[in-house]
């Protein structure tokens, strides 16, 4: 709960009071109410004891009661602000430390109790419908009250500075708070001389035209063309990737990347390879990662039990990459970013798992495990590392957040689902961490890394498209908190508008010139305008980079430096985004299909042409805003439902969750409530924009699920809201980590052993052990059975096909006749052992045509072997057709069963027709 800036003072550390601040002999009964309240604020326990003495002493007693002046306490608090942690602990202020430890420990217990009560109520469908929380909110209110009261007592000297002057005047001279910090000297803007800056920056500025050229080449070369030279797709080519990599490297160096520093660090690392000195939190984090790996690999083949059509689409796209089609975006199945397909292809080929369901799972498990240390690292950056104590606090909060995330059934589902959604919390943690570093330290390298994380996220999952909003919001928040006086606010607004105009004017001019040239009637001029219209954002990179370089050089104007850093991150992100940007220009409807489909509905923007046919069109921004405004009430309700998913009612889709269970377990849910209170208290104490990133990130990354306006039944969504995982688990880990840090600081030792550290580890292990039982039950039992009950058991259905292909006739002689809402032949083939199996027949009459189509392929029909046809038990017409076309065959009824509940088994069946059909002609 405390940090190095808020360490409570000790009696021994306080200087002797000045004469006018010495303790005064006062009669307690003669104090006014305001003065009594003042004493109660500064010395609550002592004042309570004095009041008790007044109530219990004899009436005849005239002995005055000595009451120390609160101004003396203020002086002591001021003098103790800079006392280091070791001095505080060595001074033996056992009462202050014990009060803090007991209060936070009690608050944590109350929060956990409230989380358990609410979680039990949320799992009860009748109580969930009735909104009966079983009084869990009272437990949380009590936990928050305990923490707030302790914070008020511990930090009362700092809180007094926030008391309005008129209140202080009412309280009298005894309520004088500690002197406020001296006002900052007025900032004088002395811009660097342009010529001097130009001489220093000339080498980097000369690189910018080359960087623009390589970005343009990355745009032009990373394409696939047909025989006529027309671009048909955006794919990664050898020369295109080289140009892309060179453009990003040149942009990084031009914007101030410390290449020499990197080389020196690599050289030193080469000759100084040694075992690092890890502390207990590092070993604890390794244990958390090991626990997460064990849970994520446990019973891998059983949960989730079967592939869906989404999974087979991913596998087939990964197979395209294996075959040499290196796309950046796959338009099928609503459109998907390509990075995950490359990861699956790597796991399938390099790790030797093949193109199977397990390859999908292993790829996402690796990405989920990488998220655990990244969340811990993000917590350290948010807490800060300016002082040893703050660094220790950040380490414990990071370990606590990672531990709660390691056992989370929500993140466990994402890690084993086999889809690309698990990348969203990973990249969100990176963006929050680098943004925190950039805002706190204002280093160019952090802005470059932030831009790299943003650009890479565009190839992960569509929810990452919200991250630029987080970055802009974080920078704006920092600019607002930098303001101390109204004059500074006007200056900051002027700087922002100036930067916007100086950057926006040239880029707008480029766009306008391109539009004018494109409207020309001369063919060459029109083609030049069309090409310039495609490349003007790349040309605008040069303008952004020039602005970033110049404003980053304004050493005395923090506002300009922050805006220059924002432009730096934007340039790197856009340089990485170039291939994806090309695809968005080439096929905008496919690129935005999934987003617009969930926001407005499928085919929301159509027009009737001259032939009376409805055709889709590209809407304007105004049309989209009007559609959104018309559904603003739906958005508000969606947002409320999304906020309730953490504790009360979660995702209703069977592929993501079971029975609408809440996203958080009892421990994480209870600690989140207390963590929000702690965040609010610390936010009031700290004027730190980084601290505001946590709720800002959670609110922004909820938008992908809240914006599902066309299909409200899909909200809340554990997949689209996965970007909130890092900030939510940071808040949940905050109370636990703060308590563990206090235990470690307690100084309890036995011989060479630190009992405080051991108690912190026991606390963390106890909370994780208590919570993991529900998470395992929820995922490995409830989720598995709900998934099985809602989907088809392809493993069982594919068994006769696999046996026939391996022992009797081969995959070319096996076919399945389609039936409404029955089987996906692609999943069937993959589960039978051949993901490329093409013999799904749409209608029975097409069977001879399919056989003819397969001639000369690996799936050619062999007339010397039997024909194998699967069809639905209700498809009587297919049974008659097969008997008529291929008489003399055998009909087999195949029955299968699968578990859909605790000791509950469902059954299914289908027919198999086998016959020696001989040669078949269409």
């Amino acid at each position: 709960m405390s940090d190095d800036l808020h360490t409570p003072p000790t009696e021994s550390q306080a200087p002797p009071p000045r004469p006018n601040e010495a303790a005064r002999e006062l009669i307690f009964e003669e104090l006014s109410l305001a003065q009594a309240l003042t004493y109660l604020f500064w010395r609550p326990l002592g004042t309570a004891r004095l009041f008790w003495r007044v109530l219990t002493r004899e009436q005849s007693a005239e002995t005055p009661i000595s009451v120390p002046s609160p101004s003396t306490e203020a002086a002591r608090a001021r003098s103790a602000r800079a006392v280091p942690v070791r001095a505080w602990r060595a001074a033996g202020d056992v009462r202050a430390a014990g009060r803090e430890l007991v209060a936070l420990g009690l608050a944590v217990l109350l929060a956990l109790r409230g989380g358990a009560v609410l979680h039990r109520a949320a799992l009860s469908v009748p109580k969930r419908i009735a909104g009966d929380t079983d009084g869990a909110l009272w437990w949380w209110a009590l936990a928050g009250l305990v923490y707030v009261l302790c914070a008020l007592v511990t930090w009362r000297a700092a809180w007094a500075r926030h008391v309005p002057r008129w209140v202080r005047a009412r309280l009298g001279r005894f309520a004088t708070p500690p002197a406020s910090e001296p006002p900052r000297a007025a900032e004088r803007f002395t811009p660097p001389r342009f010529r001097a800056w130009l001489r220093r920056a000339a080498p980097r500025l000369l690189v910018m035209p080359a960087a623009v050229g390589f970005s343009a080449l990355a745009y032009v070369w990373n394409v696939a063309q047909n025989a006529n030279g027309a671009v048909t797709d955006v794919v990664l080519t050898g020369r295109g990737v080289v140009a892309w990599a060179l453009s990003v490297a040149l942009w990084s160096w031009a914007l101030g990347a410390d290449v020499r520093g990197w080389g020196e660090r690599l050289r030193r690392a080469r000759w100084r390879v040694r075992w690092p000195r890890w502390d207990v939190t590092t070993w604890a984090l390794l244990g958390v990662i090991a626990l997460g790996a064990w849970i994520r690999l446990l019973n891998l083949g059983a949960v989730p039990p079967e592939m869906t059509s989404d999974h087979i689409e991913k596998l087939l796209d990964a197979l395209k990459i294996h075959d040499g089609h290196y796309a950046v975006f796959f338009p099928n199945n609503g459109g998907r970013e390509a990075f995950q397909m490359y990861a699956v292809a790597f796991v399938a080929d390099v790790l030797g798992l093949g193109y199977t369901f397990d390859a999908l799972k292993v790829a996402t498990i690796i990405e989920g495990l990488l998220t655990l240390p990244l969340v811990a690292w993000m917590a350290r950056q948010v807490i800060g590392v300016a002082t040893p104590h703050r660094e220790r606090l950040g380490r414990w909060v990071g370990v606590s957040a990672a531990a709660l995330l390691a056992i989370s059934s929500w993140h466990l589902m994402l890690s084993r689902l086999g889809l690309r959604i698990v990348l969203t919390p990973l990249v969100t943690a990176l963006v929050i961490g680098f943004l925190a570093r950039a805002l706190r330290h204002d280093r160019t390298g952090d802005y470059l890394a932030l831009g790299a994380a943003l650009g890479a996220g565009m190839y992960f999952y569509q929810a990452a498209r919200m991250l630029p909003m987080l970055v802009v919001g974080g920078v704006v928040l920092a600019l607002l908190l930098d303001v101390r006086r109204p004059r500074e606010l006007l200056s900051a607004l002027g700087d922002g508008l100036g930067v916007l105009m100086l950057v926006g004017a040239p880029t707008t001019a480029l766009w306008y010139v391109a539009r004018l040239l494109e409207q020309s009637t001369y063919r060459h001029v029109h083609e030049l305008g069309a090409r310039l219209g495609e490349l003007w954002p790349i040309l605008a990179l040069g303008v952004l980079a020039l602005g970033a370089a110049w404003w980053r050089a304004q050493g005395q104007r923090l506002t300009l430096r922050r805006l220059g850093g924002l432009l730096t991150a934007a340039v790197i992100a856009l340089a990485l985004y170039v291939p994806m940007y090309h695809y968005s220009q080439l096929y905008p409807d496919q690129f935005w299909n999934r987003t617009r489909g969930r926001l407005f509905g499928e085919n929301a923007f159509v027009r009737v042409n001259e032939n009376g046919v409805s055709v889709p069109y590209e809407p304007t921004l105004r049309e989209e805003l009007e559609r959104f405004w018309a559904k603003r009430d739906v958005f508000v309700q969606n947002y409320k439902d999304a906020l309730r998913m953490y504790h009360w009612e979660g995702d209703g889709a069977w592929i993501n969750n079971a029975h609408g269970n809440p996203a958080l377990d009892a421990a994480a849910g209870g600690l989140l409530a207390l963590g929000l209170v702690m965040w609010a208290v610390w936010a009031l104490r700290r004027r730190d924009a980084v601290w505001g990133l946590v709720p800002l990130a959670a609110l922004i990354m909820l938008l992908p699920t809240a914006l599902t306006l066309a299909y409200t039944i899909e909200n809340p969504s554990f997949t689209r809201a996965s970007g909130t995982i890092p900030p939510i688990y940071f808040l949940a880990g905050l109370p636990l980590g703060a308590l563990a840090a206090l235990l470690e600081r307690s100084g309890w030792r036995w011989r060479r052993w630190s009992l405080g550290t051991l108690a912190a580890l026991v606390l963390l292990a106890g909370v994780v052990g208590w919570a993991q039982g529900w998470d395992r039950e929820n995922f490995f039992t409830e989720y598995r059975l709900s998934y099985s009950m809602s989907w088809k058991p392809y493993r069982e259905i594919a068994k006769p096909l696999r046996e026939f292909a391996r022992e009797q006739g081969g995959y070319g002689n096996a076919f399945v006749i389609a039936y409404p809402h029955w089987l996906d032949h692609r999943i069937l083939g993959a589960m039978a052992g051949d993901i490329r199996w093409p013999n799904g027949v749409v209608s029975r009459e097409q069977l001879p045509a399919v056989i003819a189509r397969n001639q000369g392929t690996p799936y050619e029909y062999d007339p010397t072997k039997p024909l194998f046809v699967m069809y639905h038990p209700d498809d009587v017409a297919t049974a008659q057709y097969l008997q008529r076309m291929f008489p003399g065959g055998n009909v087999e009824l195949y029955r299968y069963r699968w578990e859909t509940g605790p000791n509950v088994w469902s059954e299914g069946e289908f027919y198999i027709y086998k016959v020696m059909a001989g040669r078949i002609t269409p």
Side-chain angles (χ1 to χ4, degrees):
M1 177 169 59
S2 64
D3 59 41
D4 56 290
L5 297 180
H6 319 312
T7 303
T10 65
E11 298 291 337
S12 61
Q13 294 165 356
R18 293 193 295 269
N20 61 341
E21 292 181 343
R24 305 178 59 190
E25 296 294 330
L26 300 176
I27 298 177
F28 194 85
E29 297 93 322
E30 296 180 357
L31 294 178
S32 66
L33 179 60
Q35 290 173 330
L37 291 176
T38 302
Y39 287 118
L40 183 63
F41 179 79
W42 287 105
R43 296 294 298 272
L45 296 180
T47 306
R49 286 195 294 269
L50 294 175
F51 183 64
W52 178 254
R53 288 174 56 187
V54 170
L55 293 177
T56 57
R57 71 179 178 176
E58 297 294 334
Q59 294 292 330
S60 60
E62 295 293 339
T63 305
I65 299 176
S66 175
V67 182
S69 170
S71 57
T72 305
E73 301 296 323
R76 291 174 177 172
R78 286 196 301 270
S79 64
R81 282 177 58 83
V83 176
V85 174
R86 291 185 179 180
W88 171 72
R89 187 170 56 191
D93 190 1
V94 179
R95 284 187 302 174
R99 178 178 63 235
E100 204 172 348
L101 186 61
V102 170
L104 184 55
L106 178 61
V108 168
L109 289 176
L110 293 172
L112 291 175
R113 173 61 178 168
V117 171
L118 183 63
H119 192 266
R120 186 168 56 249
L123 296 182
S124 171
V125 177
K127 289 186 177 181
R128 188 190 299 171
I129 295 175
D132 183 6
T133 62
D134 276 349
L137 301 183
W138 289 106
W139 291 100
W140 286 351
L142 187 58
L145 180 62
V146 168
Y147 178 79
V148 170
L149 290 177
C150 181
L152 286 174
V153 173
T154 304
W155 299 335
R156 56 188 181 274
W159 292 120
R161 289 199 300 273
H162 300 284
V163 177
R165 291 182 179 178
W166 65 272
V167 176
R168 290 187 230 151
R170 294 279 183 177
L171 293 178
R173 68 184 182 88
F174 294 106
T176 304
S180 60
E181 297 180 0
R184 296 187 303 172
E187 292 185 346
R188 297 177 58 191
F189 179 49
T190 55
R193 296 180 180 178
F194 181 75
R195 292 183 179 179
W197 171 78
L198 193 61
R199 284 195 301 269
R200 292 194 306 269
R204 297 182 184 271
L205 296 179
L206 291 175
V207 169
M208 290 185 182
V212 171
F214 279 112
S215 292
L217 291 177
Y219 182 94
V220 174
W221 283 349
N222 284 312
V223 296
Q225 298 175 321
N226 58 18
N228 298 325
V231 176
T232 58
D233 199 0
V234 178
V235 298
L236 299 179
T237 63
R239 63 177 184 173
V241 169
V242 171
W244 189 26
L246 285 175
S247 70
V248 175
L250 290 176
W251 282 123
S252 300
W253 189 78
L255 292 170
D258 186 10
V259 180
R260 294 181 180 179
W262 293 348
E264 183 65 20
R265 285 191 291 270
L266 288 175
R267 187 184 64 81
R268 291 179 180 178
R270 180 180 178 184
W271 298 106
R272 293 187 180 182
V273 178
R274 60 183 181 182
W275 185 261
R277 295 181 179 179
W278 289 344
D279 63 0
V280 65
T281 56
T282 306
W283 289 109
L285 181 59
L286 290 177
V288 166
I289 296 173
L291 174 64
W294 175 72
I295 294 177
R296 281 156 179 76
L297 293 172
L298 182 65
N299 204 5
L300 181 62
V303 191
E306 303 289 349
M307 279 197 293
T308 65
S309 296
D310 281 345
H311 294 108
I312 196 63
E313 292 279 1
K314 309 301 184 293
L315 276 180
L316 292 174
D317 288 338
L319 198 60
K320 293 178 183 177
I321 292 173
H322 170 81
D323 294 337
H325 183 69
Y326 304 119
V328 299
F329 193 86
F330 290 92
N332 50 314
N333 198 28
R336 297 175 319 284
E337 297 77 7
F339 176 85
Q340 187 64 19
M341 320 313 167
Y342 288 88
V344 173
F346 174 84
V347 170
D349 293 332
V350 178
L351 300 186
L353 293 180
Y355 291 86
T356 61
F357 196 16
D358 286 346
L360 290 173
K361 293 181 181 179
V362 169
T364 53
I365 284 173
I366 294 173
E367 293 156 353
L369 288 176
L370 289 175
T371 306
L372 300 181
L374 286 177
V375 167
W377 170 82
M378 180 206 75
R380 288 187 59 197
Q381 307 313 313
V382 172
I383 296 292
V385 293
T387 63
H389 171 59
R390 191 171 292 185
E391 182 179 5
R392 299 294 298 173
L393 178 63
R395 286 178 177 271
W396 278 110
V397 172
V399 170
S400 301
L404 294 173
L405 184 59
I407 62 171
S408 165
S409 61
W410 180 12
H411 194 254
L412 180 58
M413 177 274 296
L414 295 176
S415 299
R416 292 181 55 150
L417 189 57
L419 303 177
R420 70 195 191 285
I421 300 106
V422 72
L423 290 166
T424 306
L426 185 150
V427 71
T428 303
L430 283 173
V431 168
I432 295 175
F434 284 124
L435 182 57
R437 290 168 61 94
L439 295 181
R440 184 165 282 144
H441 307 300
D442 193 40
R443 293 190 293 248
T444 300
D446 293 327
Y447 282 109
L448 293 173
L450 173 62
L454 282 176
M458 298 300 105
Y459 297 86
F460 290 171
Y461 185 58
Q462 61 175 350
R465 300 177 189 179
M466 293 293 175
L467 290 175
M469 293 178 56
L470 171 61
V471 173
V472 173
V475 173
V476 171
L477 181 62
L479 294 177
L480 292 177
L481 291 180
D482 288 338
V483 172
R484 301 294 180 89
R485 294 183 294 271
R487 183 183 303 174
E488 295 179 359
L489 177 60
L490 294 177
S491 177
L493 289 175
D495 289 340
L497 291 175
V499 169
L500 184 62
M501 291 178 61
L502 291 175
V503 170
T507 54
T508 304
L510 282 173
W511 172 80
Y512 185 70
V513 169
R515 291 291 301 271
L516 287 179
L517 295 177
E518 193 173 1
Q519 294 173 3
S520 174
T521 57
Y522 296 99
R523 183 173 62 88
H524 295 292
V525 177
H526 173 77
E527 292 177 355
L528 176 62
R531 177 59 72 178
L532 184 61
E534 292 180 2
L535 297 178
W536 77 266
I538 296 175
L539 299 177
L541 285 177
V543 177
L544 298 178
L546 281 173
W550 169 249
W551 286 308
R552 290 291 295 167
Q554 312 301 314
Q556 296 181 349
R557 295 295 292 269
L558 184 58
T559 299
L560 293 178
R561 287 185 57 81
R562 289 197 191 280
L563 293 174
L566 180 61
L567 293 179
T568 299
V571 169
I572 299 302
L574 291 173
L576 285 169
Y577 184 65
V578 165
M580 188 68 78
Y581 164 73
H582 192 178
Y583 188 91
S584 69
Q585 297 300 301
L586 190 63
Y587 300 110
D589 53 339
Q590 296 177 0
F591 182 76
W592 294 106
N593 179 43
R594 186 179 291 266
T595 301
R596 284 179 181 157
R598 295 300 178 267
L599 186 58
F600 303 115
E602 304 297 335
N603 299 320
F605 298 95
V606 295
R607 290 182 180 139
V608 179
N609 60 15
E610 60 276 6
N611 299 323
V613 179
S614 297
V615 294
Y617 70 95
E618 187 70 14
T620 63
L621 179 60
R622 180 177 179 179
E623 289 178 301
E624 292 180 331
L625 291 176
E626 289 175 351
R627 292 285 184 93
F628 172 77
W629 185 250
K631 293 188 175 183
R632 59 188 181 278
D633 295 336
V634 178
F635 169 72
V636 172
Q637 186 59 45
N638 273 5
Y639 212 98
K640 292 179 181 178
D641 293 340
L643 289 172
R644 295 168 63 237
M645 79 175 189
Y646 300 107
H647 295 100
W648 193 242
E649 184 174 6
D651 196 332
W654 57 266
I655 194 173
N656 300 328
N657 191 28
H659 316 307
N661 291 341
L664 304 181
D665 56 41
L671 292 172
L672 173 61
L674 180 58
L676 285 169
V677 176
M678 293 183 66
W679 174 87
V681 172
W682 288 14
L684 292 175
R685 294 279 349 263
R686 298 179 175 183
R687 193 180 182 88
D688 189 356
V690 173
W691 204 242
L693 289 180
V694 178
L696 182 65
L699 294 174
I700 289 178
M701 296 310 291
L702 265 183
L703 290 175
T705 182
L707 287 173
T708 312
L709 305 181
Y711 304 97
T712 55
I713 194 174
E714 297 182 4
N715 178 71
S717 170
F718 283 179
T719 55
R720 299 189 186 101
S722 58
T724 66
I725 284 178
I728 290 298
Y729 276 88
F730 169 82
L731 291 172
L734 187 59
L736 195 60
L739 183 57
L742 281 176
L743 287 170
E744 187 186 35
R745 277 181 50 192
S746 64
W748 302 334
R749 303 190 67 85
W750 181 72
R751 296 183 180 180
R752 296 183 178 180
W753 299 93
S754 173
L755 297 182
T757 302
L758 181 61
L761 294 175
V762 171
L763 169 71
L764 185 61
V767 173
V768 170
W770 174 65
Q772 62 87 30
W774 178 85
D775 286 296
R776 290 182 60 185
E777 174 69 18
N778 181 56
F779 181 77
F780 289 102
T781 301
E782 294 188 27
Y783 174 70
R784 174 179 61 85
L785 295 176
S786 174
Y787 193 110
S788 297
M789 182 175 61
S790 304
W791 194 239
K792 302 174 181 64
Y794 277 92
R795 294 178 190 271
E796 297 297 325
I797 297 173
K799 279 184 178 180
L801 173 59
R802 181 169 57 250
E803 294 174 357
F804 173 82
R806 293 179 179 179
E807 300 174 4
Q808 300 180 38
Y811 291 102
N813 283 40
F815 301 85
V816 59
I817 307 298
Y819 193 81
H821 311 294
W822 189 34
L823 298 178
D824 187 331
H825 80 276
R826 303 169 302 172
I827 305 177
L828 189 64
M831 301 308 294
D834 191 340
I835 192 174
R836 300 179 188 267
W837 185 62
N839 291 348
V841 183
V842 177
S843 65
R844 65 191 73 88
E845 292 81 6
Q846 295 181 359
L847 180 57
V850 172
I851 293 175
R853 181 197 64 191
N854 291 342
Q855 295 297 319
T857 70
Y859 302 97
E860 183 176 359
Y861 170 73
D862 187 350
T864 64
K865 296 179 179 179
L867 177 69
F868 175 98
V869 182
M870 299 169 53
Y871 61 95
H872 194 272
D874 296 334
D875 194 355
V876 179
T878 294
Q880 297 173 351
Y881 173 82
L882 293 175
Q883 291 283 358
R884 184 173 65 255
M885 289 291 296
F886 314 107
N890 296 323
V891 178
E892 300 177 9
L893 179 62
Y894 182 81
R895 289 190 172 93
Y896 55 92
R897 60 198 301 262
W898 72 102
E899 188 179 12
T900 55
N903 299 320
V904 176
W905 296 81
S906 298
E907 295 184 351
E909 60 185 20
F910 59 89
Y911 286 108
I912 300 173
Y913 188 77
K914 291 183 182 179
V915 62
M916 290 297 301
R919 188 168 301 277
I920 301 175
T921 57

